[in-house]
Amino acid sequence: DADAATSLGTAFHRLAQLAALAWRPGCALERPDVARQRALERSCGLSAEQRDRLDAALERWFASDIAARVGVCESVSAEAPFLVRVGGPCDAAYLEGEIDLLACVAPAGTREQPAGSALVVDYKTAETAEQLHEKHLPQATCYAYAVLMEGYAQVECVFVRVEQDRADTPGQPQTVSYRFDAADAEEMGRALARAYHGHGQL
């Protein structure tokens, strides 16, 4: 089951990545064509049931309000890598990873004079857990801190459950959102360092 979930997630992430790479300013995110989708389904070894799930997840994502917001941003990056230091000289640690989709809503400034805002999107497939806000808070904090260190004043992180409909709006995916501000970055860095060294939780 874990392998199957990973295969489905890989196929979805790759197709969403292709859409972000093909994006052009002023244009909406466009769903990759059927030939691309079928090729990824084959390469990931998806079953007929998984292909149906993938198709529904893609439909939900590309019709979503969040995807529409991404489409009007100033820039969009897929699988955006980051490597950022947290903590001081005695408790330094490094956060490293990739952000599924990073969109610039308004241009960044500098660490000394932060400005602008960014939107971080993380896709979640095959997720049914409860208490989602608490579950994703550590991951959101890591992403937000890395982006704040690029000179943004505000960061919104949105986890999109592409296989789950919103109860009040069928066809729209469920989302879990967090907002962060540059004024909190210093304390965020200290909290991340403490958590990394096992001295606390986020």
Side-chain angles (χ1 to χ4, degrees), residues 66-152:
I66 296 296
R69 286 178 57 192
V70 171
V72 298
C73 287
E74 296 203 356
S75 65
V76 174
S77 300
E79 302 299 324
F82 64 86
L83 175 63
V84 62
R85 174 176 166 162
V86 297
C90 298
D91 63 347
Y94 289 88
L95 303 178
E96 181 178 10
E98 289 184 344
I99 294 170
D100 288 346
L101 188 150
L102 174 61
C104 171
V105 179
T110 65
R111 289 191 186 186
E112 293 73 25
Q113 293 183 310
S117 58
L119 173 64
V120 168
V121 176
D122 190 271
Y123 316 115
K124 296 296 183 186
T125 57
E127 183 179 69
T128 59
E130 300 298 327
Q131 297 182 318
L132 292 167
H133 191 274
E134 292 79 5
K135 175 184 177 183
H136 296 313
L137 179 59
Q139 187 177 3
T141 305
C142 291
Y143 287 166
Y145 184 78
V147 175
L148 290 172
M149 291 298 97
E150 293 297 315
Y152 286 97

Side-chain angles (χ1 to χ4, degrees), residues 9-200:
T10 296
F12 180 91
H13 278 74
R14 292 296 172 262
L15 290 163
Q17 180 182 8
L18 285 170
L21 291 171
W23 174 87
R24 295 292 179 269
C27 299
L29 285 174
E30 292 188 6
R31 179 173 171 171
D33 60 36
V34 173
R36 287 286 184 92
Q37 182 176 333
R38 296 292 179 261
L40 270 166
E41 288 171 353
R42 290 192 298 270
S43 67
C44 292
L46 301 190
S47 65
E49 185 265 341
Q50 287 176 307
R51 291 196 297 271
D52 288 343
R53 286 172 55 192
L54 174 64
D55 199 61
L58 290 167
E59 181 67 24
R60 199 174 283 112
W61 163 241
F62 285 103
S64 70
D65 295 339
I66 296 296
R69 286 178 57 192
V70 171
V72 298
C73 287
E74 296 203 356
S75 65
V76 174
S77 300
E79 302 299 324
F82 64 86
L83 175 63
V84 62
R85 174 176 166 162
V86 297
C90 298
D91 63 347
Y94 289 88
L95 303 178
E96 181 178 10
E98 289 184 344
I99 294 170
D100 288 346
L101 188 150
L102 174 61
C104 171
V105 179
T110 65
R111 289 191 186 186
E112 293 73 25
Q113 293 183 310
S117 58
L119 173 64
V120 168
V121 176
D122 190 271
Y123 316 115
K124 296 296 183 186
T125 57
E127 183 179 69
T128 59
E130 300 298 327
Q131 297 182 318
L132 292 167
H133 191 274
E134 292 79 5
K135 175 184 177 183
H136 296 313
L137 179 59
Q139 187 177 3
T141 305
C142 291
Y143 287 166
Y145 184 78
V147 175
L148 290 172
M149 291 298 97
E150 293 297 315
Y152 286 97
Q154 288 92 31
V155 178
E156 180 181 2
C157 294
V158 182
F159 292 80
V160 183
R161 306 179 75 200
V162 295
E163 291 201 78
Q164 304 293 330
D165 272 333
R166 279 174 50 182
D168 60 341
T169 314
Q172 286 285 320
Q174 294 178 12
T175 60
V176 184
S177 299
Y178 310 79
R179 293 181 181 273
F180 300 87
D181 191 274
D184 303 317
E186 187 174 345
E187 177 53 36
M188 288 168 64
R190 287 195 292 265
L192 286 166
R194 290 195 298 269
Y196 179 89
H197 293 291
H199 301 314

